mmCIF file of all heavy atoms in Angstrom:
data_model
loop_
_atom_site.group_PDB
_atom_site.id
_atom_site.type_symbol
_atom_site.label_atom_id
_atom_site.label_comp_id
_atom_site.label_asym_id
_atom_site.label_seq_id
_atom_site.Cartn_x
_atom_site.Cartn_y
_atom_site.Cartn_z
ATOM 1 N N LYS A 310 11.717 -10.683 -33.388
ATOM 2 C CA LYS A 310 11.750 -12.132 -33.299
ATOM 3 C C LYS A 310 12.583 -12.673 -34.482
ATOM 4 O O LYS A 310 12.348 -12.403 -35.611
ATOM 5 C CB LYS A 310 10.324 -12.693 -33.375
ATOM 6 C CG LYS A 310 9.595 -12.399 -32.099
ATOM 7 C CD LYS A 310 8.177 -12.916 -32.159
ATOM 8 C CE LYS A 310 7.435 -12.522 -30.898
ATOM 9 N NZ LYS A 310 7.645 -11.115 -30.516
ATOM 10 N N ARG A 427 5.772 -19.515 -11.876
ATOM 11 C CA ARG A 427 6.792 -18.531 -12.271
ATOM 12 C C ARG A 427 7.823 -18.376 -11.129
ATOM 13 O O ARG A 427 8.974 -18.014 -11.365
ATOM 14 C CB ARG A 427 6.083 -17.192 -12.478
ATOM 15 C CG ARG A 427 6.716 -16.272 -13.476
ATOM 16 C CD ARG A 427 6.056 -14.923 -13.307
ATOM 17 N NE ARG A 427 6.445 -14.321 -12.070
ATOM 18 C CZ ARG A 427 7.347 -13.342 -11.965
ATOM 19 N NH1 ARG A 427 7.870 -12.821 -13.045
ATOM 20 N NH2 ARG A 427 7.670 -12.882 -10.779
ATOM 21 N N ARG A 795 -35.120 24.053 2.198
ATOM 22 C CA ARG A 795 -34.902 23.252 3.405
ATOM 23 C C ARG A 795 -36.103 23.466 4.302
ATOM 24 O O ARG A 795 -36.755 24.522 4.263
ATOM 25 C CB ARG A 795 -33.667 23.748 4.154
ATOM 26 C CG ARG A 795 -32.400 23.494 3.409
ATOM 27 C CD ARG A 795 -31.321 24.465 3.916
ATOM 28 N NE ARG A 795 -30.282 24.633 2.913
ATOM 29 C CZ ARG A 795 -29.311 23.754 2.707
ATOM 30 N NH1 ARG A 795 -29.210 22.662 3.431
ATOM 31 N NH2 ARG A 795 -28.411 23.985 1.767
ATOM 32 P P C B 19 -26.416 14.626 0.013
ATOM 33 O OP1 C B 19 -25.820 14.565 -1.333
ATOM 34 O OP2 C B 19 -25.599 14.475 1.204
ATOM 35 O "O5'" C B 19 -27.241 15.985 0.164
ATOM 36 C "C5'" C B 19 -28.031 16.470 -0.881
ATOM 37 C "C4'" C B 19 -27.841 17.980 -0.920
ATOM 38 O "O4'" C B 19 -28.296 18.507 0.338
ATOM 39 C "C3'" C B 19 -26.377 18.413 -1.052
ATOM 40 O "O3'" C B 19 -26.343 19.592 -1.832
ATOM 41 C "C2'" C B 19 -25.959 18.711 0.371
ATOM 42 O "O2'" C B 19 -24.954 19.679 0.462
ATOM 43 C "C1'" C B 19 -27.291 19.278 0.945
ATOM 44 N N1 C B 19 -27.375 19.101 2.374
ATOM 45 C C2 C B 19 -27.493 20.253 3.173
ATOM 46 O O2 C B 19 -27.540 21.374 2.604
ATOM 47 N N3 C B 19 -27.563 20.153 4.517
ATOM 48 C C4 C B 19 -27.518 18.940 5.075
ATOM 49 N N4 C B 19 -27.596 18.884 6.382
ATOM 50 C C5 C B 19 -27.359 17.758 4.292
ATOM 51 C C6 C B 19 -27.292 17.872 2.954
ATOM 52 P P A B 83 7.612 -10.255 -14.411
ATOM 53 O OP1 A B 83 8.420 -11.442 -14.199
ATOM 54 O OP2 A B 83 8.189 -8.902 -14.147
ATOM 55 O "O5'" A B 83 7.112 -10.225 -15.905
ATOM 56 C "C5'" A B 83 6.590 -11.411 -16.495
ATOM 57 C "C4'" A B 83 5.919 -11.057 -17.807
ATOM 58 O "O4'" A B 83 5.029 -9.940 -17.644
ATOM 59 C "C3'" A B 83 6.855 -10.555 -18.893
ATOM 60 O "O3'" A B 83 7.602 -11.585 -19.462
ATOM 61 C "C2'" A B 83 5.811 -9.967 -19.868
ATOM 62 O "O2'" A B 83 5.102 -10.932 -20.549
ATOM 63 C "C1'" A B 83 4.894 -9.250 -18.858
ATOM 64 N N9 A B 83 5.321 -7.863 -18.729
ATOM 65 C C8 A B 83 6.078 -7.288 -17.729
ATOM 66 N N7 A B 83 6.345 -5.992 -17.933
ATOM 67 C C5 A B 83 5.720 -5.740 -19.158
ATOM 68 C C6 A B 83 5.611 -4.580 -19.938
ATOM 69 N N6 A B 83 6.181 -3.435 -19.567
ATOM 70 N N1 A B 83 4.934 -4.664 -21.081
ATOM 71 C C2 A B 83 4.369 -5.823 -21.445
ATOM 72 N N3 A B 83 4.406 -6.976 -20.809
ATOM 73 C C4 A B 83 5.096 -6.857 -19.648
ATOM 74 P P C B 84 8.766 -11.225 -20.431
ATOM 75 O OP1 C B 84 9.983 -12.011 -20.231
ATOM 76 O OP2 C B 84 8.792 -9.764 -20.419
ATOM 77 O "O5'" C B 84 8.107 -11.796 -21.785
ATOM 78 C "C5'" C B 84 7.865 -10.941 -22.926
ATOM 79 C "C4'" C B 84 6.941 -11.692 -23.847
ATOM 80 O "O4'" C B 84 7.337 -11.423 -25.177
ATOM 81 C "C3'" C B 84 6.980 -13.231 -23.690
ATOM 82 O "O3'" C B 84 5.777 -13.789 -24.175
ATOM 83 C "C2'" C B 84 8.116 -13.584 -24.636
ATOM 84 O "O2'" C B 84 7.997 -14.899 -25.120
ATOM 85 C "C1'" C B 84 7.850 -12.622 -25.779
ATOM 86 N N1 C B 84 9.032 -12.230 -26.532
ATOM 87 C C2 C B 84 8.834 -11.750 -27.813
ATOM 88 O O2 C B 84 7.669 -11.693 -28.276
ATOM 89 N N3 C B 84 9.899 -11.371 -28.549
ATOM 90 C C4 C B 84 11.124 -11.446 -28.012
ATOM 91 N N4 C B 84 12.097 -11.053 -28.783
ATOM 92 C C5 C B 84 11.344 -11.919 -26.686
ATOM 93 C C6 C B 84 10.277 -12.281 -26.012
ATOM 94 P P C B 85 4.452 -13.856 -23.220
ATOM 95 O OP1 C B 85 3.327 -14.248 -24.038
ATOM 96 O OP2 C B 85 4.378 -12.616 -22.394
ATOM 97 O "O5'" C B 85 4.801 -15.035 -22.230
ATOM 98 C "C5'" C B 85 4.610 -16.404 -22.601
ATOM 99 C "C4'" C B 85 4.271 -17.173 -21.337
ATOM 100 O "O4'" C B 85 5.486 -17.334 -20.607
ATOM 101 C "C3'" C B 85 3.246 -16.468 -20.438
ATOM 102 O "O3'" C B 85 2.102 -17.194 -20.129
ATOM 103 C "C2'" C B 85 4.073 -15.959 -19.243
ATOM 104 O "O2'" C B 85 3.394 -15.990 -18.054
ATOM 105 C "C1'" C B 85 5.320 -16.848 -19.267
ATOM 106 N N1 C B 85 6.504 -16.075 -18.896
ATOM 107 C C2 C B 85 7.150 -16.324 -17.672
ATOM 108 O O2 C B 85 6.689 -17.206 -16.927
ATOM 109 N N3 C B 85 8.237 -15.619 -17.326
ATOM 110 C C4 C B 85 8.708 -14.692 -18.142
ATOM 111 N N4 C B 85 9.786 -14.000 -17.758
ATOM 112 C C5 C B 85 8.097 -14.399 -19.382
ATOM 113 C C6 C B 85 6.989 -15.111 -19.714
#
Side-chain angles (χ1 to χ4, degrees):
Chain A
K310 288 179 184 46
R427 209 191 70 105
R795 293 158 203 280

